[in-house]
Amino acid sequence: MDALQGKISKWKFVLLLVMVSAESGTGQLSVDYYKASCPNLETIVQQTMVQKFNATPVVAGGMLRLVFHDCMVLGCDASVLISSTQNNTAEKDADDNLSLPGDAFDGVMRAKAAVEAQCPGVVSCADLLVIAARDLLAMVGGPSWEVAKGRLDGKISMASAVPGNLPSATDDLDKLTALFASKGLNQSEMVALSGAHSVGFAHCNQFMRRVYNFNATYKIDPTINPLYAAQLRESCPQVNLDPTVVVFLDDTTPRIFDNVYYQNAQKGLALLSSDQVLFTDERTRPIVNSFAADNSTFLNSFVSAMQKLTSVGVKTRGSADGEIRQNCGAVNT
Ligand SMILES: *[C@@H]1O[C@H](CO)[C@@H](O)[C@H](O)[C@H]1NC(C)=O
Ligand SMILES: *[C@@H]1O[C@H](CO)[C@@H](O)[C@H](O)[C@H]1NC(C)=O
Ligand SMILES: *[C@@H]1O[C@H](CO)[C@@H](O)[C@H](O)[C@H]1NC(C)=O
Ligand SMILES: *[C@@H]1O[C@H](CO)[C@@H](O)[C@H](O)[C@H]1NC(C)=O
Ligand SMILES: *[C@@H]1O[C@H](CO)[C@@H](O)[C@H](O)[C@H]1NC(C)=O
């Protein structure tokens, strides 16, 4: 009897601790979060992503973008997935959403539908987004890790929250550093996360200035490889520019997640100014060089940085500003 009492009060104590930590906002994410409530979660998402990837391989880079955008703006709470309503212009329709990838949105919606069929009302869209990105990354040769879960979905998504929270293609190192630091990410983590550009692409308007009218002294950005600049001029002509044209961010191995992105920066082959500056500026050059020299150094740093990024501003169990969204595209009514 006494032993049982002891056990019960021990459990009460543990429960209390869990509740207190959740309420204080430092809530814990855990790998086993859905172990009892949705044991097949990871398999379901994995299968959905394999199908999605086979149909549209570019979804891998797109999903990374979506996670990044989500976590940088109001924390990792799937606020980026919410559609605008009559009353509200949502995050994804902000001017600087840089045309977010529709395939990635579709991938999360499919994962949600598949998961709801087995575990209704249990798994957050915010967690699905991170698991999906992790799975897709592995399909393009990237590293894998166990995703800690327990993020709740946010109830707010505002276009007005976007400006100032995402890097711009023309940001210099000071701006980039300050932005990432405001999310608790240091320069090594910033350079590692930029490696997401190993897969993915950009529209011409993100870099055309670099190859046509850089500044009063130089028509072409002096940090760009001249042959590469000529190639970019061909892809993105000033006259009759097709606005749907996209250019790979890693021209050498655009479909493989690897450290070649950093090797490109060493040769002036980075597409965006905000990528090239990581090498040009001597404060981050040693980090670029270390990643360029060794795949595994990069991949390990990328995983650590992703784990940190995906815990920025999370809302966890007990948080009043979070919920399990029924439809990833809309706040519950
Ligand atoms: C828009 O706001 C009005 C008044 O604030 C509210 O009654 C209505 O339900 C809202 N509509 C939507 C689609 O959110
Ligand atoms: C991004 O914003 C533009 C308007 O600024 C909008 O037309 C477009 O649909 C948005 N992209 C996504 C994926 O919502
Ligand atoms: C950034 O943080 C990581 C993890 O805490 C640490 O290993 C790394 O040395 C830090 N880098 C810099 C430049 O401070
Ligand atoms: C143009 O850019 C170069 C390289 O960044 C810089 O050295 C130069 O001062 C700039 N010229 C003007 C007029 O801003
Ligand atoms: C890194 O891995 C990629 C893909 O496996 C490979 O193409 C590349 O040569 C490797 N780079 C180095 C420096 O090992």
Side-chain angles (χ1 to χ4, degrees), residues 186-189 308:
N186 68 22
Q187 276 184 336
S188 323
E189 290 157 342
K308 207 154 166 189

Side-chain angles (χ1 to χ4, degrees), residues 49-252:
M49 289 311 127
V50 167
Q51 283 172 8
K52 187 71 202 169
F53 181 77
N54 288 340
T56 46
V58 293
V59 71
M63 198 67 82
L64 283 175
R65 265 273 325 283
L66 210 50
V67 167
F68 180 70
H69 183 130
D70 186 37
C71 294
M72 295 294 275
V73 183
L74 302 178
C76 311
D77 65 352
S79 52
V80 72
L81 300 176
I82 290 179
S83 298
S84 294
T85 59
Q86 260 183 338
N87 292 359
N88 181 50
T89 305
E91 227 173 80
K92 73 171 183 169
D93 291 320
D95 283 340
D96 43 358
N97 70 16
L98 307 174
S99 46
L100 283 166
D103 281 325
F105 281 90
D106 181 63
V108 183
M109 299 304 167
R110 284 169 191 265
K112 176 70 171 175
V115 167
E116 286 295 300
Q118 280 196 28
C119 332
V122 169
V123 180
S124 72
C125 302
D127 282 338
L128 288 175
L129 192 45
V130 179
I131 301 169
R134 185 274 316 269
D135 288 351
L136 288 165
L137 184 65
M139 293 176 212
V140 286
S144 193
W145 67 95
E146 293 222 80
V147 171
K149 297 165 286 274
R151 298 163 191 80
L152 291 181
D153 298 321
K155 301 179 188 172
I156 296 172
S157 176
M158 302 176 296
S160 60
V162 176
N165 282 311
L166 289 177
S168 130
T170 54
D171 281 352
D172 63 16
L173 197 74
D174 288 327
K175 269 194 156 172
L176 291 170
T177 303
L179 172 61
F180 280 79
S182 74
K183 312 294 172 187
L185 298 160
N186 68 22
Q187 276 184 336
S188 323
E189 290 157 342
M190 173 176 88
V191 174
L193 289 172
S194 302
H197 286 176
S198 169
V199 288
F201 46 77
H203 288 94
C204 294
N205 62 3
Q206 295 295 308
F207 56 83
M208 273 174 81
R209 213 187 142 85
R210 295 187 75 200
V211 294
Y212 285 111
N213 47 355
F214 182 61
N215 69 14
T217 321
Y218 297 101
K219 274 199 154 45
I220 299 180
D221 182 343
T223 65
I224 201 168
N225 178 303
L227 290 175
Y228 185 46
Q231 184 188 320
L232 294 177
R233 281 182 165 208
E234 237 172 80
S235 306
C236 304
Q238 277 182 303
V239 180
N240 294 333
L241 173 70
D242 175 353
T244 64
V245 165
V246 291
V247 174
F248 290 124
L249 288 157
D250 166 2
D251 186 48
T252 316

